Amino acid sequence: MPLGQRAGDKSDSRYCGVEVLDFPAGEGLPAVLNHSLASSFDFILAPLVDPNYRPAPGAVLPVSASDLVLGPAQWSNHVVGKISEWIDLDAEDEQLRLDSELTLKQEIAWASHLSLQACVLPAPRRSCGNYARVVNQILQGLTNMHLWLRLPLEKSEPMDDDLDKVKNNNHMNEMVDSWELWNSFRLLCDHSSQLCVALDISSTLPSINSLGRWFGEPVRAAILQTNAFLTNGRGYPCLSKRHQKLLTGFFNHYIQVILSGRSNHNVPPVSEGVLLGDENHTEDAPVRHALSPYLDYTAYLYRRMDPLPEQECFEINYRDFLQSPLQPLMDNLEAQTYETFEKDVVKYTQYQRAVAKALVDRVPDDAVSTTRTVLMVVGAGRGPLVRVSLQAAEQTGRKLKVYAVEKNPNAVITLHSLIKLEGWESLVTVISSDMRCWDAPEKADILVSELLGSFGDNELSPECLDGAQRFLKPDGISIPSSYTSFIQPITASKLHNDIKAHKDIAHFETAYVVKLHRIATLTPPQQVFTFTHPNFSPNASNQRYTKLQFEMPPDMGSCLVHGFAGYFDSVLYKDVHLGIEPNTATPNMFSWFPIFFPLRKPIYVPDRSPIEVHFWRCCAPTKVWYEWAVTTPTPSPIHNSSGRSYWEHEHDRFYSIYN
Amino acid sequence: MPLGQRAGDKSDSRYCGVEVLDFPAGEGLPAVLNHSLASSFDFILAPLVDPNYRPAPGAVLPVSASDLVLGPAQWSNHVVGKISEWIDLDAEDEQLRLDSELTLKQEIAWASHLSLQACVLPAPRRSCGNYARVVNQILQGLTNMHLWLRLPLEKSEPMDDDLDKVKNNNHMNEMVDSWELWNSFRLLCDHSSQLCVALDISSTLPSINSLGRWFGEPVRAAILQTNAFLTNGRGYPCLSKRHQKLLTGFFNHYIQVILSGRSNHNVPPVSEGVLLGDENHTEDAPVRHALSPYLDYTAYLYRRMDPLPEQECFEINYRDFLQSPLQPLMDNLEAQTYETFEKDVVKYTQYQRAVAKALVDRVPDDAVSTTRTVLMVVGAGRGPLVRVSLQAAEQTGRKLKVYAVEKNPNAVITLHSLIKLEGWESLVTVISSDMRCWDAPEKADILVSELLGSFGDNELSPECLDGAQRFLKPDGISIPSSYTSFIQPITASKLHNDIKAHKDIAHFETAYVVKLHRIATLTPPQQVFTFTHPNFSPNASNQRYTKLQFEMPPDMGSCLVHGFAGYFDSVLYKDVHLGIEPNTATPNMFSWFPIFFPLRKPIYVPDRSPIEVHFWRCCAPTKVWYEWAVTTPTPSPIHNSSGRSYWEHEHDRFYSIYN
């Protein structure tokens, strides 16, 4: 049964497994499974074949249980296969290599026959070329089953006592960063989406930056060794603060825990013991599972987590879901839940604060009664910026005249209703017109717009506002007055594979709006492009070119960069800002997800090497696009040359305010 | 007019150009061109636009000559455009960057309008991200014209005297390996096949290994500076031995020479002067071109080269031409010129020597009259191995009984004619049969076959001979008795681009037979797989796995590996061998070209880094295939997993001798 219930969390990380260390001889597997399920584990990680087996002519595979002993759903839902740990595909001994290859293929074929969801592959030794070749061949033929490559989380020293040898197939002779092994293995297997990772967690943990890389990798399970546990004052197992935090991270990233090892704590059931009332095995008076105290503690950690904030629950289905600008799911959602987006309270509160400050600066207290400020809302939609502007005027005691400019006739209907309903007829003039045809009767003191995209300028705000500023007085104010885009390199294997599935270059030369979740951010973000409004300079151009250098944390190790997460921050007016750049993000705002710029081929960044990245914003008469490239540590192709794959063109929404 | 005539050489490297240093003002270009052509140069490298031009609103491009001043064929055949050298796309100064971008695009557009075949781009400074972005955009839109990126051959120190600055746009402040610049540039431009190289050659040359890399790159021109020349005893210009050798290399690799610089030698025409009889300018009594002495010397070097050997002339059209195993051009050729291949005298001489030695070993001198050796030719074809076997018997005085086993009925007809013609009826038995049905009347002392491919075992010789050895006595001899395959990493940008043009993965997972020419071999070859015959061991397998490590020459610098050249060497019998491995290749043999295993993505190998490569020979019941991968310096995907793109299947020719 699940570790607990958590609002909004429907992920597999609620389920906890247990590793079966000894081969259940004589078809003993059903008993082992039933005991584990009765002890509240959800699944077992179990050997499928007698570890003493070696291939021989005519030999029958000595499996732990025939497929008839368990029902298909039991095999599929409650058993993860463990491939024999003696196999060594890169041994010097050719016969051992050949036996290993045959056994691996036989065991995987057997697991497929049982319809298992996954098998755990033993950790590779230092070199893995032949192992990867055989696994890659197997992956070509697999349909549903996943393979989880087992790897120690910690940089490894040899573990030579017998007990550990059984649990953790690790014979390395010097410190090896297992991320490097994983990276070689998955590159050799060409980023197969069915090749995942199971991490062995023991008592020592690497640095936070080294750990962090794994959250962008396809880690499916954390195999938590009993020797990772400490003992609390009452004799019960518990974990160090760092381990606790790591487990919380796993729970949040859909990573299942599998308990493993011999019990080091022999304690009676804690009060929340979950065995009572179990329906399957009440009559057998089952022996308590040796690892139950560890499961109890793990469940305790799960239940202790803060509930997901309301906004996270709302956005949970968008996690790591690529929204292509060509198929904007978000736009459909906007149509369905228009009100929801208008009710981004935080965003409009910031706009109101900005307008209020601008009004106070524009009209001194002694001129309040004689001066009426002209404010134009460019792209008024259904009126949220009209409302906050009037509220700002009321709040500051300034007189205001508002032009609400909108081309969409459906929105204009709503605008008229709103004005009537609120009694704003004397304050607001609705301009239902294409801006190109409109002859403004006067110039504005303040121009308010909400044209920003996730990357700031990516929805043509600069071009729109350049067009609209002809209605602005020379000393007029634009809200926003400036905005800046940011990027940071990330590991994001899921996003890479989702893009790769399209099998073309164009999808790798497109930026996506995406609620980033299962990613690793490798460095702090840096600024890319800044735009300031109004800009009356005669030579002003919206073309931009920025070259950035990112330094990796020195204790992180090597990593793979799948692309760049993009954000924006905007100065609405003076100290009032709005943005999603993680370090300064406006809290509880939900109008924007980050943007993701992928790389056609992920870039391997060696330990302590910097990354040098180039971003261009290019402009042609009818379209605007980005190009991007990496030059250090190794040059990538220039992405999206001449905007061949991805661009913004000046569609209707923008023509309306274009000069 | 060409530098000279050389049998078989129809390449562009016969043509020599001259760089025009000063901008020909006032439409002076036709005069400059005519003078150069009259002085026996074939083309000029000339600036197209006044170097003082900077873009400005309404400015007209100040070109060196309107398109009407020269005919279309003159522009296209005799002018290579030189892009203004002041442009600096990666300058700190944004205005200079923007001016450079606009000018570059304007000049290229003008050159396209003139239908020039190529333009030379000034050398990039140390950083080239923005330069590459603009060139890449231009390349997307070019149809026929090529761009030659100008680069100094030597690692560069700053050259600050004014004269050199004009000639060689090189402002670097420390030693830079221009190959690194080239590599970054072409990776950013995604290996565009229209982006090539023009190398500036001055007085100092880098190491031979460093030079060697360029022969695998798309170098189109060598711009030979006058300051690279020495002065001989009579006051004439000449070149150092190393420069002479380099120029010969250029001539052999289709690289055109362009002379450049001010004359440092003022000498009268040498006796071979080529101005006499020039039809265009006899009346003008033209002034001798300042660089004529250098052209004379260059022509002298060209004419002094050895003529191409007959075999090279025969094979010249196969140079760097990929023969896909799926579309075997070579097989068509074989059908047309069957006799030619039978007349590979060297190959059959080696076979005869091997059979002779085997006969002597098999039959002591005192048993010559009583012993008759049984020899089977497996795959006798039209009989060349039958002939050499009988000649060996005659030569050694041994009695021979030959079975000529052949399934192809057309070849069998020829065999019977041959036997009648030669009067061999008592010596040779033709077996026109599928081996699988044939019941051999006796066992053989010697089994002779010619089933080797360019990579030794790649045409299933091991499987064929395993099948045929059931006709062999336990102590019998197989000729060949063993064979070994070899690989070496190479730079081969042309082959890479030819494969890339197919736009799929399968073509990058196929091995090609190819007469390698415009490649750079980066290290000596190493052994891959060895097969020995007969092999009566019960557990014998034809699967193989080899891991190789290649060390790069320490003075070479970094390089790009596009794939691996493959060869074989075969021991026919004892010390008689046959093969194409370059260090031990049998001279004057023409039956095999090398094989080429490509890499989907070329691997950048940093200075002094080794390469680790894995090759597998995999066998399934109905097919045999190779897989290959690189693991150091960075892992590649495993190529051709499960033989999905390329394999040998046991077709009729092989079934006939299969058990």
Side-chain angles (χ1 to χ4, degrees):
Chain A
M1 56 188 290
L3 294 169
Q5 300 298 334
R6 192 171 171 229
D9 185 357
K10 295 268 176 291
S11 89
D12 284 347
S13 63
R14 290 173 298 156
Y15 302 114
C16 186
V18 61
E19 178 169 9
V20 178
L21 297 180
D22 304 314
F23 180 68
E27 305 227 329
L29 192 74
V32 171
L33 176 63
N34 286 333
H35 182 218
S36 300
L37 294 180
S39 306
S40 294
F41 287 104
D42 298 293
F43 64 95
I44 59 174
L45 167 59
L48 301 174
V49 170
D50 188 336
N52 294 313
Y53 166 76
R54 294 295 179 278
V60 175
L61 204 63
V63 299
S64 57
S66 92
D67 47 345
L68 300 175
V69 165
L70 295 177
Q74 279 182 301
W75 281 118
S76 172
N77 294 335
H78 300 299
V79 180
V80 170
K82 184 162 67 163
I83 300 303
S84 289
E85 292 179 323
W86 62 264
I87 68 166
D88 185 358
L89 275 295
D90 291 277
E92 289 295 311
D93 176 356
E94 188 186 7
Q95 194 55 51
L96 176 53
R97 282 208 310 271
L98 294 173
D99 283 352
S100 297
E101 178 170 348
L102 195 54
T103 303
L104 176 58
K105 287 179 171 171
Q106 286 173 331
E107 293 193 12
I108 296 284
W110 174 244
S112 293
H113 177 70
L114 298 174
S115 299
L116 301 194
Q117 290 185 41
C119 280
V120 171
L121 302 171
R125 275 71 170 180
R126 194 170 306 112
S127 163
C128 65
N130 197 44
Y131 193 2
R133 195 258 314 171
V134 175
V135 168
N136 192 45
Q137 282 187 354
I138 291 168
L139 287 165
Q140 311 291 312
L142 282 187
T143 47
N144 296 310
M145 197 165 71
H146 282 59
L147 302 180
W148 298 351
L149 188 67
R150 189 168 189 161
L151 291 163
L153 176 62
E154 172 63 321
K155 286 191 188 180
S156 311
E157 288 179 293
M159 298 166 76
D160 272 341
D161 70 84
D162 285 342
L163 201 72
D164 284 342
K165 218 175 202 167
V166 175
K167 291 181 297 189
N168 187 342
N169 197 353
N170 181 344
H171 302 263
M172 301 172 199
N173 293 321
E174 55 186 60
M175 296 293 271
V176 175
D177 182 355
S178 52
W179 184 90
E180 298 279 2
L181 269 177
W182 158 245
N183 189 51
S184 293
F185 210 100
R186 80 70 181 274
L187 290 177
L188 287 163
C189 293
D190 203 18
H191 305 272
S192 166
S193 58
Q194 287 172 274
L195 181 65
C196 305
V197 174
L199 287 175
D200 260 305
I201 317 295
S202 58
S203 56
T204 52
L205 295 179
S207 74
I208 287 177
N209 285 316
S210 169
L211 275 176
R213 295 173 298 175
W214 290 105
F215 291 112
E217 303 287 2
V219 181
R220 291 287 172 275
I223 305 176
L224 185 56
Q225 303 293 331
T226 51
N227 66 15
F229 285 81
L230 310 173
T231 305
N232 73 6
R234 295 184 297 143
Y236 287 94
C238 64
L239 289 170
S240 73
K241 290 277 181 215
R242 287 197 64 206
H243 279 82
Q244 291 178 34
K245 205 172 162 192
L246 180 63
L247 246 65
T248 307
F250 289 154
F251 291 143
N252 277 326
H253 284 81
Y254 311 159
I255 298 169
Q256 300 183 310
V257 170
I258 300 173
L259 292 169
S260 173
R262 307 291 174 188
S263 172
N264 303 318
H265 297 80
N266 194 4
V267 291
V270 291
S271 53
E272 313 112 290
V274 286
L275 283 177
L276 303 173
D278 184 285
E279 289 173 22
N280 295 321
H281 280 266
T282 44
E283 287 159 52
D284 282 342
V287 181
R288 185 170 154 82
H289 195 290
L291 298 196
S292 284
Y294 304 93
L295 175 61
D296 292 342
Y297 182 78
T298 305
Y300 158 74
L301 287 183
Y302 182 86
R303 292 185 202 130
R304 205 188 57 176
M305 285 195 296
D306 293 330
L308 280 178
E310 192 185 348
Q311 189 181 335
E312 279 295 314
C313 291
F314 172 70
E315 294 173 353
I316 203 161
N317 291 325
Y318 291 97
R319 283 180 176 175
D320 301 314
F321 182 84
L322 294 166
Q323 297 177 233
S324 162
L326 301 172
Q327 302 164 328
L329 179 75
M330 209 60 182
D331 283 3
N332 289 339
L333 186 76
E334 237 176 355
Q336 289 165 29
T337 61
Y338 209 102
E339 274 102 358
T340 310
F341 277 87
E342 282 179 3
K343 285 173 183 155
D344 191 337
V345 176
V346 178
K347 174 173 128 185
Y348 290 113
T349 302
Q350 292 300 86
Y351 265 98
Q352 184 175 332
R353 290 183 57 211
V355 174
K357 288 213 175 194
L359 285 173
V360 170
D361 283 357
R362 196 83 192 159
V363 184
D365 284 342
D366 56 8
V368 161
S369 58
T370 55
T371 310
R372 194 175 193 193
T373 304
V374 176
L375 182 148
M376 289 181 185
V377 178
V378 178
R382 310 201 317 176
L385 287 179
V386 173
R387 181 186 298 276
V388 300
S389 298
L390 291 174
Q391 284 170 347
E394 195 177 325
Q395 168 195 344
T396 56
R398 265 64 181 171
K399 290 205 230 177
L400 199 61
K401 180 176 185 184
V402 176
Y403 290 91
V405 185
E406 179 58 47
K407 186 178 165 251
N408 178 350
N410 300 307
V412 166
I413 293 168
T414 315
L415 269 177
H416 279 294
S417 308
L418 179 74
I419 286 162
K420 202 169 175 186
L421 195 69
E422 299 282 358
W424 292 340
E425 289 87 345
S426 62
L427 304 173
V428 180
T429 307
V430 176
I431 307 295
S432 175
S433 170
D434 188 319
M435 228 352 118
R436 288 170 296 182
C437 315
W438 187 49
D439 191 16
E442 60 184 319
K443 292 213 169 189
D445 296 282
I446 302 174
L447 197 67
V448 186
S449 65
E450 48 173 337
L451 300 164
L452 296 175
S454 298
F455 199 53
D457 58 83
N458 62 306
E459 293 184 3
L460 300 189
S461 181
E463 285 71 19
C464 294
L465 294 183
D466 284 354
Q469 74 184 16
R470 66 186 163 107
F471 305 120
L472 192 62
K473 291 179 182 167
D475 66 343
I477 293 166
S478 169
I479 294 176
S481 64
S482 75
Y483 36 88
T484 299
S485 49
F486 293 79
I487 58 163
Q488 71 184 150
I490 62 173
T491 297
S493 65
K494 179 189 180 293
L495 302 184
H496 176 80
N497 276 329
D498 287 353
I499 296 169
K500 203 181 83 165
H502 292 284
K503 299 187 182 194
D504 63 17
I505 287 177
H507 280 84
F508 276 115
E509 296 192 333
T510 300
Y512 299 87
V513 168
V514 54
K515 166 80 178 162
L516 297 171
H517 186 72
R518 292 170 63 180
I519 64 157
T521 55
L522 302 167
T523 74
Q526 292 188 34
Q527 296 188 7
V528 188
F529 306 133
T530 295
F531 290 85
T532 302
H533 298 283
N535 183 353
F536 292 110
S537 148
N539 293 325
S541 159
N542 294 323
Q543 302 212 63
R544 292 287 187 282
Y545 167 43
T546 299
K547 180 167 74 173
L548 296 173
Q549 182 138 335
F550 292 93
E551 301 290 338
M552 296 292 166
D555 61 348
M556 186 177 76
S558 309
C559 65
L560 200 71
V561 175
H562 292 97
F564 300 89
Y567 316 98
F568 80 95
D569 189 74
S570 167
V571 175
L572 291 181
Y573 184 69
K574 292 194 168 168
D575 65 339
V576 184
H577 88 107
L578 190 74
I580 60 168
E581 192 276 306
N583 295 307
T584 58
T586 312
N588 301 316
M589 196 171 61
F590 56 82
S591 294
W592 294 275
F593 290 153
I595 202 164
F596 176 60
F597 291 91
L599 288 170
R600 282 164 55 178
K601 181 156 196 289
I603 303 268
Y604 172 77
V605 183
D607 192 13
R608 288 156 208 267
S609 164
I611 310 178
E612 189 175 79
V613 192
H614 303 248
F615 265 77
W616 293 270
R617 188 181 197 270
C618 305
C619 304
T622 58
K623 68 177 188 176
V624 174
W625 70 96
Y626 302 106
E627 300 188 20
W628 61 98
V630 171
T631 48
T632 301
T634 46
S636 74
I638 290 164
H639 287 60
N640 195 33
S641 183
S642 301
R644 64 182 175 188
S645 301
Y646 158 66
W647 68 93
E648 298 286 336
H649 57 92
E650 296 165 359
H651 58 64
D652 281 354
R653 174 175 159 202
F654 302 117
Y655 273 132
S656 65
I657 47 167
Y658 222 46
N659 59 356
Chain B
M1 57 187 290
L3 293 169
Q5 300 298 333
R6 191 169 173 232
D9 184 358
K10 294 271 175 290
S11 89
D12 285 347
S13 62
R14 290 173 298 156
Y15 301 113
C16 186
V18 63
E19 177 169 11
V20 178
L21 298 181
D22 304 312
F23 181 68
E27 305 227 326
L29 192 73
V32 171
L33 176 62
N34 286 334
H35 182 217
S36 300
L37 295 180
S39 305
S40 294
F41 287 103
D42 298 294
F43 64 96
I44 59 172
L45 167 60
L48 300 174
V49 170
D50 188 335
N52 294 313
Y53 165 75
R54 294 296 180 276
V60 175
L61 205 63
V63 299
S64 57
S66 92
D67 47 345
L68 300 175
V69 165
L70 295 177
Q74 278 182 301
W75 280 117
S76 171
N77 294 335
H78 299 300
V79 180
V80 170
K82 183 162 67 161
I83 301 302
S84 289
E85 291 179 324
W86 61 264
I87 68 165
D88 185 357
L89 275 296
D90 291 277
E92 289 294 313
D93 176 356
E94 188 187 6
Q95 193 56 51
L96 176 52
R97 283 207 309 271
L98 294 174
D99 283 352
S100 297
E101 179 171 347
L102 193 55
T103 303
L104 176 57
K105 287 179 172 172
Q106 286 173 332
E107 293 193 14
I108 296 283
W110 174 244
S112 293
H113 176 71
L114 297 174
S115 300
L116 300 194
Q117 291 184 41
C119 280
V120 170
L121 302 172
R125 276 71 169 181
R126 195 171 305 113
S127 164
C128 65
N130 196 44
Y131 194 0
R133 196 258 315 171
V134 175
V135 169
N136 193 45
Q137 282 187 355
I138 290 168
L139 287 165
Q140 310 293 310
L142 281 186
T143 47
N144 296 311
M145 196 165 71
H146 283 59
L147 302 181
W148 298 351
L149 188 68
R150 189 167 189 162
L151 290 163
L153 176 63
E154 172 65 321
K155 285 190 189 181
S156 313
E157 287 178 292
M159 297 166 77
D160 272 340
D161 70 84
D162 286 340
L163 201 72
D164 283 342
K165 218 174 204 169
V166 175
K167 290 181 298 190
N168 188 342
N169 196 352
N170 182 344
H171 302 262
M172 302 172 198
N173 294 319
E174 54 186 60
M175 297 293 271
V176 174
D177 182 355
S178 52
W179 183 90
E180 298 279 2
L181 267 178
W182 159 244
N183 189 50
S184 293
F185 210 100
R186 74 82 175 269
L187 290 177
L188 287 163
C189 293
D190 203 17
H191 305 272
S192 167
S193 59
Q194 286 171 275
L195 180 66
C196 305
V197 174
L199 288 175
D200 260 305
I201 317 295
S202 59
S203 56
T204 52
L205 295 178
S207 74
I208 288 176
N209 285 316
S210 168
L211 273 176
R213 295 173 298 175
W214 290 107
F215 291 113
E217 304 287 4
V219 181
R220 291 286 172 274
I223 304 175
L224 185 56
Q225 302 295 330
T226 50
N227 66 13
F229 284 81
L230 309 172
T231 305
N232 74 7
R234 293 184 298 141
Y236 287 93
C238 64
L239 287 170
S240 73
K241 289 277 179 213
R242 286 196 63 206
H243 278 83
Q244 291 178 35
K245 205 171 162 191
L246 180 63
L247 246 66
T248 307
F250 289 154
F251 291 142
N252 277 326
H253 284 82
Y254 310 158
I255 298 168
Q256 299 183 312
V257 171
I258 299 174
L259 291 169
S260 173
R262 308 289 173 189
S263 172
N264 303 317
H265 297 81
N266 193 4
V267 292
V270 292
S271 53
E272 312 112 290
V274 284
L275 284 177
L276 303 174
D278 184 285
E279 288 172 24
N280 295 322
H281 280 264
T282 43
E283 288 160 50
D284 281 342
V287 180
R288 185 170 155 82
H289 195 290
L291 299 195
S292 285
Y294 304 93
L295 176 61
D296 293 342
Y297 183 78
T298 305
Y300 157 74
L301 288 183
Y302 182 87
R303 292 184 202 131
R304 204 189 56 175
M305 286 195 297
D306 292 332
L308 280 178
E310 192 184 348
Q311 189 180 337
E312 278 295 315
C313 291
F314 173 70
E315 294 171 354
I316 202 161
N317 291 325
Y318 291 96
R319 282 180 177 175
D320 301 314
F321 182 84
L322 293 166
Q323 297 177 236
S324 163
L326 302 172
Q327 303 164 327
L329 178 75
M330 209 59 183
D331 283 1
N332 289 340
L333 185 76
E334 234 174 359
Q336 289 165 27
T337 60
Y338 209 101
E339 275 102 358
T340 310
F341 277 87
E342 283 178 2
K343 284 173 184 155
D344 191 338
V345 175
V346 177
K347 174 173 128 186
Y348 291 112
T349 302
Q350 292 300 85
Y351 266 97
Q352 184 174 334
R353 290 183 56 213
V355 174
K357 288 212 173 190
L359 285 173
V360 169
D361 282 356
R362 196 84 191 158
V363 184
D365 284 342
D366 57 8
V368 161
S369 58
T370 57
T371 310
R372 192 173 194 194
T373 304
V374 177
L375 182 147
M376 289 180 185
V377 178
V378 179
R382 309 200 318 175
L385 287 179
V386 173
R387 181 185 299 276
V388 300
S389 297
L390 292 173
Q391 284 169 347
E394 194 175 326
Q395 167 195 346
T396 57
R398 265 62 180 172
K399 289 204 229 177
L400 199 60
K401 180 175 184 185
V402 175
Y403 290 92
V405 186
E406 179 56 49
K407 186 178 166 254
N408 177 350
N410 301 308
V412 166
I413 292 168
T414 316
L415 269 177
H416 279 293
S417 309
L418 178 75
I419 287 162
K420 202 169 175 187
L421 194 70
E422 299 282 357
W424 292 341
E425 290 87 345
S426 62
L427 303 173
V428 180
T429 308
V430 176
I431 307 295
S432 174
S433 170
D434 186 321
M435 233 343 123
R436 287 170 297 182
C437 315
W438 188 49
D439 190 16
E442 60 184 317
K443 291 212 170 189
D445 296 280
I446 301 173
L447 197 67
V448 186
S449 65
E450 49 173 335
L451 300 164
L452 295 175
S454 299
F455 199 54
D457 57 83
N458 62 307
E459 292 183 6
L460 300 188
S461 179
E463 285 72 18
C464 295
L465 295 182
D466 283 355
Q469 74 182 18
R470 67 187 166 107
F471 305 120
L472 192 62
K473 291 178 183 169
D475 66 342
I477 293 166
S478 169
I479 293 175
S481 65
S482 75
Y483 35 89
T484 299
S485 49
F486 293 78
I487 59 163
Q488 71 183 151
I490 62 173
T491 298
S493 65
K494 179 188 181 294
L495 302 184
H496 176 80
N497 276 330
D498 287 353
I499 296 169
K500 203 180 83 166
H502 291 284
K503 298 187 181 191
D504 63 17
I505 287 177
H507 281 83
F508 275 116
E509 296 192 332
T510 299
Y512 300 85
V513 168
V514 54
K515 166 81 178 163
L516 297 171
H517 185 71
R518 292 171 63 180
I519 64 157
T521 55
L522 303 168
T523 74
Q526 291 188 34
Q527 297 187 7
V528 188
F529 306 133
T530 295
F531 291 85
T532 302
H533 298 284
N535 182 352
F536 292 111
S537 148
N539 293 323
S541 160
N542 293 324
Q543 303 211 62
R544 292 287 188 280
Y545 167 44
T546 299
K547 180 168 72 172
L548 295 173
Q549 181 138 336
F550 292 92
E551 300 289 339
M552 296 292 165
D555 61 348
M556 186 178 74
S558 310
C559 65
L560 199 71
V561 175
H562 293 96
F564 300 89
Y567 317 98
F568 80 95
D569 189 73
S570 169
V571 175
L572 292 181
Y573 184 69
K574 291 192 169 168
D575 65 338
V576 183
H577 88 107
L578 190 75
I580 60 169
E581 192 277 306
N583 295 306
T584 59
T586 313
N588 301 317
M589 195 171 61
F590 56 83
S591 293
W592 294 274
F593 289 152
I595 202 164
F596 176 60
F597 291 91
L599 289 170
R600 282 163 54 179
K601 181 158 197 290
I603 303 267
Y604 171 77
V605 183
D607 191 14
R608 288 157 209 267
S609 165
I611 310 179
E612 189 176 81
V613 192
H614 304 248
F615 265 77
W616 293 269
R617 188 180 197 270
C618 305
C619 304
T622 58
K623 68 176 189 177
V624 173
W625 70 97
Y626 302 106
E627 300 188 19
W628 60 98
V630 172
T631 48
T632 301
T634 45
S636 73
I638 290 163
H639 288 58
N640 196 33
S641 183
S642 300
R644 64 182 175 190
S645 301
Y646 158 66
W647 67 93
E648 298 286 335
H649 57 92
E650 296 166 358
H651 58 65
D652 281 354
R653 172 176 161 203
F654 302 118
Y655 274 131
S656 67
I657 48 167
Y658 222 45
N659 59 356

